[in-house]
């Protein structure tokens, strides 16, 4: 397995897609029920293959990631060649931008000396999707990039 197995909730949301996946494998509902009982290791393999297919599709479509920490906001644009990062650092330990109050403070104090903006580009490894997945596993969320563009316009 390249990524990780989808959660039970994710499988439930993708129920119809999983049925379609099994159909492409020529596995009927009765055969699936039989597999789960008599060949659980094969059923587990099918779950893993389906999970990897879903992750590949999601990661191929992901163009922006965000990750928040108490004093840092990491915004990533994932283009074809590399990742462009914008980092917003709050140099005030009393502020936690993961809270509503802290985020409001940041919004009101963007141009203060206690707020720092950094930009960087980073090349992907040989496996672009594995790089994206690693960031998600570390807490990043896939977004539409609104915050990235907002800060990109402020900085540039």
């Amino acid at each position: 397995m390249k990524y990780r197995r989808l959660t039970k909730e994710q499988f439930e949301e993708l129920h119809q897609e999983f049925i379609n996946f099994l159909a492409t494998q020529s596995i009927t509902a009765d055969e699936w029920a039989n597999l789960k009982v008599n060949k659980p290791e094969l059923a587990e393999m099918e779950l893993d293959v389906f999970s990897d297919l879903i992750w590949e599709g999601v990661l191929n479509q992901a163009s922006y990631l965000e990750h928040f920490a108490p004093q840092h906001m990491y915004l990533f644009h994932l283009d074809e060649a590399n990742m462009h990062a914008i980092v917003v650092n709050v140099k005030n330990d009393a502020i936690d931008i993961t809270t509503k109050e802290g985020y409001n403070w940041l919004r009101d104090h963007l141009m203060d000396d206690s707020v720092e903006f950094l930009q960087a580009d980073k090349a992907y490894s040989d496996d672009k999707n594995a790089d994206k997945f690693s960031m998600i596993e570390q807490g990043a969320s896939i977004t539409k990039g609104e915050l990235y563009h907002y800060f990109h316009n402020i900085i540039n």
Side-chain angles (χ1 to χ4, degrees):
M1 168 163 243
K2 185 173 179 180
Y3 302 110
R4 74 168 154 74
R5 183 175 294 173
L6 298 173
T7 64
K8 182 179 188 235
E9 293 79 15
Q10 290 168 324
F11 271 111
E12 287 170 1
E13 282 202 28
L14 296 168
H15 179 75
Q16 187 58 50
E17 289 82 354
F18 186 63
I19 290 170
N20 295 342
F21 167 77
L22 291 176
T24 65
Q25 307 293 317
S26 299
I27 299 173
T28 65
D30 290 339
E31 290 170 329
W32 177 245
N34 182 38
L35 267 182
K36 290 192 299 186
V37 172
N38 297 318
K39 295 184 181 176
E41 66 286 343
L42 193 54
E44 297 283 321
M45 257 180 41
E46 292 294 339
L47 293 172
D48 290 346
V49 169
F50 178 74
S51 294
D52 278 348
L53 283 172
I54 293 298
W55 275 113
E56 278 293 323
V58 167
L59 296 168
N60 283 334
Q61 296 298 314
S63 295
Y64 298 93
L65 294 176
E66 294 176 3
H67 184 79
F68 288 83
Q71 277 79 40
H72 311 284
M73 181 188 314
Y74 303 93
L75 309 169
F76 300 95
H77 178 228
L78 310 169
D79 65 25
E80 285 302 310
N82 58 37
M83 294 180 254
H84 181 71
I86 295 174
V87 181
V88 181
N89 289 322
V90 175
K91 298 186 280 182
N92 179 342
D93 292 341
I95 304 300
D96 179 349
I97 62 172
T98 64
T99 67
K100 182 177 180 176
E101 297 79 18
Y103 188 80
N104 287 339
W105 179 93
L106 174 63
R107 196 180 59 217
D108 295 338
H109 295 87
L110 278 179
M111 297 307 160
D112 286 6
D113 287 342
S114 59
V115 177
E116 173 182 56
F117 299 99
L118 305 168
Q119 294 187 83
D121 287 321
K122 180 181 179 193
Y124 294 110
S125 70
D126 291 339
D127 189 340
K128 184 188 323 186
N129 282 348
D131 294 344
K132 294 177 186 180
F133 183 77
S134 174
M135 293 169 65
I136 291 168
E137 288 293 281
Q138 294 171 40
S141 299
I142 298 171
T143 70
K144 293 181 181 176
E146 286 122 351
L147 269 179
Y148 175 88
H149 288 291
Y150 176 77
F151 283 101
H152 186 265
N153 289 338
I154 287 175
I155 295 169
N156 299 301

